[in-house]
Amino acid sequence: MSYLEAFNKSKSNANEFWLEEAKRLSWYKLPTKGYVEGEDGSSNWFSDGKLNMSYLCIDKHIEDGHGDQIAVIYDSAVRQKQVKYTFHELHEKVSKLAGGLQKLGVQKGDTVVIYMPMISHALFSMLACARIGAIHSVVFGGFAPDELASRIDDAKPKVIITASSGIEVDRLIAYKPMVDEAIEKANHKPEKVVIFNRKLGVETQQKNYDVDYEQLMHESESVEAIPVKADHPLYILYTSGTTGTPKGVVRDTGGYATALHFSMRTIYDAKPGEVFWAASDVGWVVGHSYIVYAPLLNRNTTIIYEGKPVRTPDAGSFWRVIQDHKVNVMFTAPTAFRAIKKEDPNGELVKKYDISSLKYQFLAGERCDAATLRWAEKMLQIPVIDHWWQTESGWPIVANFMGMEKFPVKEGSAGKSVPGYHVQVLGEHGEVLPKGEEGYLAIQKPLPPGFMPILWNAPERTKAAYYERFENYYFSGDGGYIDVDGYVYVTGRIDDVINVAGHRLSTAQLEEVVASHEAVAECAVIGMEDSLKGQLPLAFVVAKVGEEGYESYRLETEVVQLVRDIVGPVASLKTVLLVKRLPKTRSGKILRRTIRKIVDGKDYAIPSTIEEPMVISELIEALSIAKVGAFAKDKNTVVNSLKALTDSYYNIDSLAKYIDV
């Protein structure tokens, strides 16, 4: 089937198309029903089918005679250690842990929070939950106790699974104390905390709810996979909301398995038995979909990499992994390639390794700039494919199709709509815009299998966040356009969620933390463009009356540390500017979009609703002195920024002092 045939069939008869795809999996009860929209607005697929994700990822391959194939490779660059597990060994680890969870009282439908570093046991824990129908919620290990506590309160886990520590290049990160602090802060109290002791020298305080992972495994029996309905939740994955309150994205089981299996064949062209490496973290949607579930569903060897693209030990670490494990298909974020390019611009380290096994390099997580794409193509000499998707979608929305019909790569585009996704560009009133015209990227219903059915315990929020703006469409929150050839261009978020190296962070949440500092009266956090991480948060702070003399360097240091303590290092806030006031409308709304354009050195227009235009010039002065954003690179940025201001309100002569800056 060609791409066009597949796309048209998925659009004209979605049920027939996806029920046929579902037959490629081994079900306990094959579904006969396709798409059904629930009364609460949820999107449900294959509701009369029964299956088990853990069975599909492990037992099925053993039954088919592939038990001795390597299923999982743990590669720790920071510990210089590698461990390989066959499907037989994976079965033993997962089925005994599943039995251990049952012994602790975990039943089908209960929730389990997993807060672990990038180790094999994180994957074992996810599959063990799936095996007994428990709903797992993996929380990224970089999140601080406050963030973990908010997720505990929302998911209400019966058990938490964690490790004694994570390990970075230069330090150990004690996980267990953070879990203890989160439990103390949370209203909901889990019954047990299972701790995998990595024996790296981190001392932890024993609590009465603690259970030793290895002892639990030793005392437990293996259990068989439990059949669950296709619409049974597999996991909850929290993503930043624009209100600052995390949104619990629910993923079903049957639709997700069908979609992931389809994507491995058509998009990634990963053949069963090949090695597939997603260089991400299991705490993110990429880790859920393409470290754990999709590769194992497709009988690929998957890699859990504990390290970074650089400094573990150098910018050749990715190429070393590809050489060591004969990786066939790789997936990472553009920011990883930007980091490698920064340290090894001429690709000298690439030449040191044999990476001839690599067929394709996929990029996602944030928009891939043309320079990074060209550099990767030059260094790797293979197809480098950008593609676009979201936590909510769970698998690609827009892509190029290595296993179906390869299209020429267009710089700036993530490819074409994946079969199952009818992507449209809409105007303010929901009208479909002509080709080439920029607007709001939305997906027409029915949404395909694997797509988020609903937010956890929040049907009204689901509707308000995604479906209220445009009737019969899912609104992605991104802007973009589609060209005459059907290529989709994603131009960026239209809300105030920023993307730091592929990690979505809510500016509302960051502002709440910054504002909690005793000297801060009000603040604004925006995402400024960064050549390495895509975006970095930048905080503007107005001091309280009586605190105006607060030393700016001291304030910056304290605010940065505060954000690090509460949100975590993942926030990457490093710059805090002390200003007299913030530009606002007369109704009191801070002009964040205008601020963002000024910081990035882009053309801007001052809204007619602005309360005091002169505040803009004060902002430009502060950016110029601090040499932040575009003001660190181009001396003409000041003049250009002020010119935009004078076009609206002033004679340029009245702002001469700012030009001198």
Side-chain angles (χ1 to χ4, degrees):
M1 191 181 294
S2 70
Y3 163 75
L4 199 57
E5 287 171 333
F7 178 76
N8 286 338
K9 186 174 181 181
S10 73
K11 196 166 73 169
S12 62
N13 196 333
N15 284 340
E16 182 183 331
F17 181 85
W18 289 112
L19 282 167
E20 200 62 34
E21 279 298 323
K23 291 178 182 177
R24 295 176 181 270
L25 300 176
S26 183
W27 297 72
Y28 295 121
K29 181 178 183 298
L30 192 69
T32 60
K33 293 179 181 178
Y35 175 81
V36 177
E37 187 167 326
E39 291 182 7
D40 55 4
S42 59
S43 172
N44 301 304
W45 280 90
F46 314 133
S47 58
D48 64 336
K50 289 188 176 181
L51 75 172
N52 183 281
M53 184 69 90
S54 185
Y55 169 83
L56 292 173
C57 288
I58 307 171
D59 306 60
K60 177 67 169 64
H61 307 314
I62 295 172
E63 291 172 7
D64 290 345
H66 302 291
D68 292 328
Q69 180 192 313
I70 300 299
V72 179
I73 299 172
Y74 165 65
D75 186 309
S76 177
V78 287
R79 298 183 67 194
Q80 297 184 330
K81 181 179 180 180
Q82 295 179 13
V83 183
K84 298 180 180 181
Y85 302 90
T86 64
F87 278 105
H88 279 306
E89 291 166 331
L90 180 62
H91 180 274
E92 182 185 9
K93 299 286 186 184
V94 170
S95 60
K96 289 192 79 172
L97 181 56
L101 289 173
Q102 283 186 333
K103 190 175 180 181
L104 296 178
V106 177
Q107 300 176 352
K108 182 165 73 172
D110 287 338
T111 55
V112 175
V113 162
I114 300 168
Y115 184 72
M116 297 190 98
M118 276 296 287
I119 57 177
S120 310
H121 304 78
L123 176 146
F124 301 159
S125 300
M126 295 165 74
L127 288 165
C129 289
R131 195 167 191 82
I132 59 174
I135 306 162
H136 66 68
S137 184
V138 182
V139 178
F140 174 62
F143 280 129
D146 286 61
E147 291 296 302
L148 179 56
S150 70
R151 287 153 174 77
I152 290 171
D153 278 337
D154 196 65
K156 295 180 172 51
K158 181 170 281 189
V159 170
I160 295 177
I161 306 176
T162 189
S164 54
S165 68
I167 181 170
E168 294 288 344
V169 180
D170 53 356
R171 63 195 175 100
L172 293 174
I173 302 171
Y175 274 51
K176 178 56 168 48
M178 290 196 283
V179 171
D180 291 338
E181 185 180 340
I183 291 173
E184 192 175 320
K185 291 181 174 182
N187 294 318
H188 174 81
K189 307 298 180 186
E191 294 176 12
K192 298 292 181 182
V193 174
V194 179
I195 310 149
F196 177 72
N197 188 353
R198 301 189 72 187
K199 299 173 184 173
L200 298 176
V202 173
E203 293 185 9
T204 59
Q205 185 179 359
Q206 186 74 19
K207 300 283 188 178
N208 58 11
Y209 48 62
D210 289 349
V211 176
D212 181 74
Y213 184 104
E214 292 294 351
Q215 186 176 342
L216 181 67
M217 292 283 284
H218 179 71
E219 296 173 350
S220 301
E221 300 292 329
S222 295
V223 296
E224 295 299 319
I226 294 174
V228 298
K229 291 185 66 178
D231 56 5
H232 180 76
L234 177 66
Y235 65 75
I236 310 162
L237 181 56
Y238 288 92
T239 182
S240 295
T242 53
T243 63
T245 306
K247 295 182 294 188
V249 169
V250 173
R251 193 78 62 210
D252 70 349
T253 304
Y256 189 48
T258 302
L260 291 181
H261 195 261
F262 173 78
S263 74
M264 292 299 278
R265 185 179 83 254
T266 60
I267 297 173
Y268 300 104
D269 188 28
K271 305 290 194 295
E274 291 187 334
V275 180
F276 188 95
W277 178 28
S280 182
D281 190 287
V282 291
W284 308 118
V285 69
V286 171
H288 282 59
S289 295
Y290 293 104
I291 294 177
V292 181
Y293 292 115
L296 294 177
L297 273 170
N298 200 50
R299 193 168 56 78
N300 295 118
T301 299
T302 188
I303 297 174
I304 293 181
Y305 175 67
E306 189 177 34
K308 301 198 179 291
V310 296
R311 297 193 303 125
T312 54
D314 55 29
S317 55
F318 274 14
W319 322 132
R320 191 270 305 163
V321 173
I322 294 169
Q323 174 183 270
D324 282 2
H325 308 304
K326 302 293 185 287
V327 175
N328 302 113
V329 183
M330 185 181 173
F331 180 168
T332 192
T335 187
F337 270 74
R338 287 195 284 265
I340 295 168
K341 178 186 173 188
K342 181 182 177 183
E343 295 200 9
D344 186 25
N346 298 318
E348 296 301 325
L349 290 170
V350 182
K351 300 169 189 173
K352 289 177 58 179
Y353 298 93
D354 178 6
I355 60 169
S356 58
S357 62
L358 194 64
K359 299 190 300 183
Y360 312 113
Q361 176 64 62
F362 284 86
L363 301 172
E366 76 230 279
R367 185 175 174 273
C368 181
D369 58 282
T372 299
L373 180 69
R374 286 195 295 266
W375 184 85
E377 288 174 335
K378 181 181 178 182
M379 294 300 128
L380 302 181
Q381 297 293 303
I382 57 171
V384 178
I385 309 300
D386 188 17
H387 58 328
W388 173 63
W389 49 297
Q390 301 177 319
T391 301
E392 290 84 351
S393 72
W395 65 293
I397 301 170
V398 174
N400 207 318
F401 306 90
M402 296 301 99
M404 186 182 289
E405 186 177 346
K406 301 178 179 71
F407 297 112
V409 171
K410 286 191 180 185
E411 291 179 2
S413 171
K416 298 185 180 184
S417 296
V418 173
Y421 290 99
H422 190 199
V423 180
Q424 297 272 36
V425 180
L426 305 180
E428 285 288 346
H429 305 292
E431 71 280 15
V432 177
L433 297 180
K435 300 290 186 185
E437 191 169 328
E438 188 170 342
Y440 300 105
L441 287 175
I443 305 166
Q444 191 170 358
K445 289 182 176 182
L447 298 163
F451 203 94
M452 170 196 76
I454 203 163
L455 293 175
W456 181 249
N457 289 335
E460 290 304 315
R461 191 178 182 193
T462 308
K463 185 178 178 182
Y466 303 110
Y467 301 108
E468 261 184 3
R469 186 157 194 167
F470 302 115
E471 187 178 355
N472 205 36
Y473 283 91
Y474 163 86
F475 175 44
S476 71
D478 280 312
Y481 63 94
I482 301 174
D483 71 10
V484 291
D485 298 318
Y487 284 77
V488 180
Y489 294 75
V490 183
T491 54
R493 300 295 298 171
I494 58 91
D495 58 19
D496 286 323
V497 173
I498 62 176
N499 194 318
V500 181
H503 309 325
R504 292 183 66 216
L505 298 168
S506 164
T507 54
Q509 175 194 25
L510 293 174
E511 287 176 3
E512 185 176 342
V513 177
V514 174
S516 69
H517 188 282
E518 60 183 9
V520 174
E522 62 177 342
C523 64
V525 176
I526 59 102
M528 64 176 172
E529 290 181 350
D530 179 73
S531 59
L532 180 62
K533 294 193 174 184
Q535 283 184 302
L536 282 175
L538 169 63
F540 294 90
V541 166
V542 178
K544 289 180 180 177
V545 174
E547 297 282 5
E548 296 91 346
Y550 210 103
E551 188 177 351
S552 59
Y553 176 75
R554 180 184 160 202
L555 181 63
E556 181 176 60
T557 303
E558 292 175 359
V559 167
V560 167
Q561 188 59 48
L562 190 63
V563 170
R564 188 180 181 89
D565 289 344
I566 296 176
V567 179
V570 69
S572 295
L573 176 67
K574 296 177 181 176
T575 308
V576 179
L577 291 185
L578 190 60
V579 294
K580 295 176 184 176
R581 48 191 175 162
L582 296 169
K584 298 178 182 179
T585 63
R586 293 183 183 91
S587 62
K589 183 180 178 182
I590 298 171
L591 298 171
R592 290 179 179 83
R593 189 172 296 182
T594 303
I595 296 173
R596 189 162 56 238
K597 287 184 177 181
I598 293 170
V599 171
D600 291 337
K602 295 181 177 177
D603 293 339
Y604 67 94
I606 299 177
S608 58
T609 55
I610 191 169
E611 184 178 30
E612 177 50 73
M614 199 63 184
V615 179
I616 297 291
S617 59
E618 295 172 4
L619 190 78
I620 292 168
E621 180 179 14
L623 290 164
S624 305
I625 294 170
K627 294 183 170 54
V628 170
F631 293 81
K633 307 167 191 171
D634 185 2
K635 293 179 181 178
N636 290 325
T637 302
V638 180
V639 177
N640 294 339
S641 299
L642 290 170
K643 181 66 166 62
L645 178 59
T646 58
D647 286 346
S648 300
Y649 290 96
Y650 296 105
N651 182 288
I652 194 74
D653 294 335
S654 66
L655 299 172
K657 77 160 190 156
Y658 295 115
I659 295 174
D660 290 339
V661 169

